């Protein structure tokens, strides 16, 4: 029996080996037909490491043209490659390997099936642009936007921190002129603090893109406090008595009322802002006139103006039967008298607006005439933008109020040269 088995195994050995080889090859063919080798292209986002190498050298980098991906070819069995996605690969650019200050070699590695796949040996690069780094400190300007609620006025607007440190590309940081943190006050009725993202502006007021900037803090706390407001009339008191022949018609102010702010207890005690009698002494009046007064010093303690521009109040004093108007006097109609020898005087504008008073008929007639005035230059010195008084001759039935003008006084070279020639 044993001999029969041995004989059967050893009989036709060559044919049996050929059959085995044929079966193995057939198996390979079947396997490759069913699970063939394939090559696909994948694209992955590049991760940059050791970026602090540049930072320590005072440099920053920007990915050229914003392209931070690389594509590569992977070869593997179909059963493997169909399971792969870009997330199965890592693409790393080490800043230590920066070449020619413009490109970094990218290392591609498989996170899955590393032993069953082949990654193309072609070298990929991440291209970068190097920039100088700059750090600068800016004072934060705290502001508000929106509409304040009726009966309230903004008292103070502060920021925390008050100084912001900004780091970024030198060509970006150098364009920053101001840093602004703005809180919205619309609909707010009590003191509040809001965290806001600061904005950066150039000297021309254009906003600077902050995406490349690193800030010492990402948000600024803006605190806004309010005070109550109250509208009160402006009242004018007078002293003295009008000269004989003059009758007072009215005294009006512009504005006639102002908005004041303060604590409720202080506002309750204020019914008006009074211009004291020392400002207008009727005994010195020769006719209708207009004057401007700063009422800031006449405000009660604990009260301020809601709008500082309303501090200047114009007072119009009219005599009976008169009205007021304005008239343009051209530079050609202004004479300079008593000009010191060797000097030249000129008005620094083409015309001057003056206040005139009289009946409506007289003022209408005056507008058709060429009103002339003069400036007494006695004692004037050389210099630009000097104040002088423009005066007018009396016109029957009309009062033209003297006014302040600005003149430029220079040395008259023509007169100096003539004097030299005469000598």
């Amino acid at each position: 029996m044993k001999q029969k088995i041995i004989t059967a195994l050893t009989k036709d050995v060559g044919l049996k080996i050929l059959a085995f080889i044929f079966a193995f090859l057939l198996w390979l063919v079947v396997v490759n037909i069913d699970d063939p080798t394939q090559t696909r292209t994948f694209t992955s986002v590049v991760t940059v490491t050791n970026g602090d190498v540049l930072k320590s050298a005072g440099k920053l980098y920007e990915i050229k043209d914003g392209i931070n991906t690389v594509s590569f070819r992977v070869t593997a069995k179909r059963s493997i490659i169909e399971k792969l996605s870009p997330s199965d690969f890592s693409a790393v650019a080490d800043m230590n390997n920066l070449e020619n200050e413009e490109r970094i070699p990218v290392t591609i590695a498989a996170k899955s099936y590393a032993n069953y796949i082949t990654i193309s040996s072609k070298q990929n690069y991440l291209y970068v642009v190097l920039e100088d780094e700059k750090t600068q400190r800016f004072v934060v300007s705290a502001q508000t936007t929106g509409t304040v609620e009726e009966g309230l006025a903004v008292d103070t607007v502060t920021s925390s921190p008050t100084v912001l440190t900004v780091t970024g590309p030198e060509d970006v940081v150098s364009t920053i002129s101001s840093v602004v943190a703005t809180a919205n006050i619309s609909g707010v009725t009590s003191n509040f603090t809001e965290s806001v993202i600061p904005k950066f502006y150039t000297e021309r007021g254009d906003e600077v893109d902050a995406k490349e900037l690193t800030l010492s803090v990402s948000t600024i706390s803006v605190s806004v406090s309010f005070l109550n407001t109250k509208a009160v009339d402006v009242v004018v008191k007078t002293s003295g008595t009008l000269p004989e022949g003059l009758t007072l018609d009215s005294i009006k102010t512009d504005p006639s009322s102002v908005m004041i702010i303060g604590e409720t207890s202080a506002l309750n005690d204020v019914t008006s802002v009074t211009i004291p009698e020392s400002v207008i002494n009727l005994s010195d009046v020769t006719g209708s006139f207009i004057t401007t007064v700063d009422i800031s010093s006449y405000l009660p303690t604990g009260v301020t103006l809601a709008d500082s521009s309303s501090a200047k109040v114009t007072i119009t004093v009219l005599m009976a039967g008169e009205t007021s108007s304005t008239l343009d006097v051209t530079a050609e109609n202004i004479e300079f008298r008593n000009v010191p020898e060797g000097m030249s005087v000129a008005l620094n504008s083409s015309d001057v607006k003056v206040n005139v008073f009289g009946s409506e008929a007289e003022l209408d007639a005056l507008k058709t005439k060429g009103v002339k005035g003069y400036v007494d230059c006695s004692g004037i010195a050389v210099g630009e933008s000097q104040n002088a008084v423009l005066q007018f001759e009396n016109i029957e039935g009309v009062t033209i109020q003297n006014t302040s003008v600005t003149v430029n006084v220079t040395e008259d070279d023509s007169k100096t040269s003539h004097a030299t020639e005469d000598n």
Side-chain angles (χ1 to χ4, degrees):
M1 183 65 180
K2 182 179 180 180
Q3 186 61 40
K4 289 182 177 181
I5 294 174
I6 293 174
T7 302
L9 290 173
T10 56
K11 186 179 180 181
D12 298 326
V13 173
L15 291 175
K16 291 178 179 179
I17 291 174
L18 287 174
F20 176 79
I21 292 173
F22 177 77
F24 177 74
L25 292 175
L26 182 62
W27 176 80
L28 286 178
V29 170
V30 172
V31 167
N32 278 282
I33 291 174
D34 187 57
D35 192 13
T37 298
Q38 294 184 347
T39 299
R40 290 187 182 178
T41 299
F42 293 88
T43 300
S44 292
V45 176
V46 179
T47 300
V48 179
T49 61
N50 296 316
D52 55 345
V53 172
L54 287 178
K55 191 171 184 66
S56 61
K59 295 283 188 178
L60 295 173
Y61 74 90
E62 180 180 350
I63 296 174
K64 188 175 181 180
D65 299 327
I67 302 174
N68 66 335
T69 60
V70 291
S71 296
F72 50 91
R73 294 172 66 82
V74 176
T75 301
K77 293 291 185 179
R78 183 177 64 182
S79 60
I80 299 296
I81 209 164
E82 287 181 348
K83 298 177 182 179
L84 298 175
S85 67
S87 62
D88 290 309
F89 300 90
S90 65
V92 178
D94 190 337
M95 193 61 75
N96 283 313
N97 300 325
L98 178 67
E99 299 176 358
N100 302 322
E101 296 190 344
E102 66 173 3
R103 67 181 190 178
I104 314 167
V106 178
T107 301
I108 311 296
K111 300 178 184 179
S112 307
Y113 306 103
N115 295 328
Y116 301 95
I117 66 176
T118 301
I119 300 174
S120 170
S121 60
K122 178 186 176 182
Q123 182 61 64
N124 290 283
Y125 293 94
L126 179 69
Y127 290 87
V128 296
V129 177
L130 300 189
E131 301 172 291
D132 290 328
E133 183 183 60
K134 183 176 182 179
T135 298
Q136 189 170 339
R137 287 159 57 87
F138 295 91
V139 175
V140 179
S141 174
Q143 299 180 4
T144 62
T145 186
T147 304
V148 65
E149 292 295 296
E150 187 176 356
L152 294 176
V154 175
D155 182 24
T156 61
V157 184
T158 58
S159 70
S160 179
T162 58
V163 176
L164 185 66
T165 302
V166 180
T167 301
E170 183 178 27
D171 60 348
V172 176
V173 176
S174 297
T175 64
I176 299 174
S177 176
S178 61
V179 178
V180 178
T182 306
N184 192 334
I185 60 174
S186 295
V188 180
T189 58
S190 60
N191 301 345
F192 75 103
T193 298
E194 181 180 10
S195 292
V196 300
I197 298 174
K199 291 188 176 182
F200 307 88
Y201 296 94
T202 65
E203 189 173 355
R204 294 174 51 187
D206 299 325
E207 187 172 352
V208 178
D209 190 345
K211 67 180 180 181
E212 297 182 73
L213 303 178
T214 301
L215 314 180
S216 54
V217 294
S218 59
T219 59
I220 302 292
S221 294
V222 179
S223 298
V224 182
S225 63
F226 298 93
L227 286 174
N228 295 308
T229 65
K230 183 179 181 179
V232 293
D233 293 333
V234 178
V235 176
V236 181
K237 288 190 174 182
T238 62
S239 61
T241 305
L242 281 173
E244 187 176 350
L246 293 178
T247 302
L248 182 65
D249 178 67
S250 63
I251 298 178
K252 297 180 180 180
T253 64
D254 183 22
S256 59
S257 64
V258 292
M259 192 72 72
I260 57 175
I261 59 177
E263 297 294 340
T264 303
S265 57
L267 294 180
N268 288 339
D269 296 332
V270 182
T271 58
S272 64
V273 176
T274 302
I275 299 174
E277 57 188 20
S278 58
V279 174
I280 296 180
N281 188 339
L282 296 178
S283 301
D284 301 328
V285 173
T286 58
S288 301
F289 67 95
I290 296 175
T291 187
T292 301
V293 175
D294 188 332
I295 64 172
S296 299
S297 58
Y298 307 140
L299 297 174
T301 303
V303 169
T304 58
L305 292 169
D307 182 2
S308 59
S309 64
S310 62
K312 299 291 185 180
V313 174
T314 300
I315 304 174
T316 301
V317 180
L318 289 179
M319 298 299 114
E322 294 187 343
T323 187
S324 65
S325 184
T326 58
L327 192 68
D328 290 329
V329 179
T330 61
E332 291 78 7
N333 285 348
I334 298 176
E335 177 187 0
F336 297 101
R337 300 178 181 178
N338 302 318
V339 178
E341 187 176 355
M343 293 186 185
S344 178
V345 183
L347 199 68
N348 75 342
S349 60
S350 60
D351 56 30
V352 178
K353 287 189 178 297
V354 297
N355 298 314
V356 294
F357 307 91
S359 67
E360 291 186 7
E362 290 168 334
L363 294 184
D364 288 341
L366 183 65
K367 291 177 182 178
T368 63
K369 301 176 182 177
V371 176
K372 296 183 178 182
Y374 67 92
V375 175
D376 187 349
C377 300
S378 300
I380 204 167
V382 173
E384 295 184 355
S385 300
Q386 298 186 61
N387 289 328
V389 179
L390 175 60
Q391 304 178 65
F392 298 91
E393 304 290 354
N394 290 330
I395 298 177
E396 186 176 353
V398 175
T399 300
I400 305 177
Q401 185 174 334
N402 296 342
T403 189
S404 177
V405 295
T406 303
V407 297
N408 298 322
V409 183
T410 58
E411 293 185 0
D412 192 336
D413 295 334
S414 61
K415 293 183 179 179
T416 303
S417 61
H418 287 320
T420 303
E421 292 173 3
D422 292 340
N423 291 335

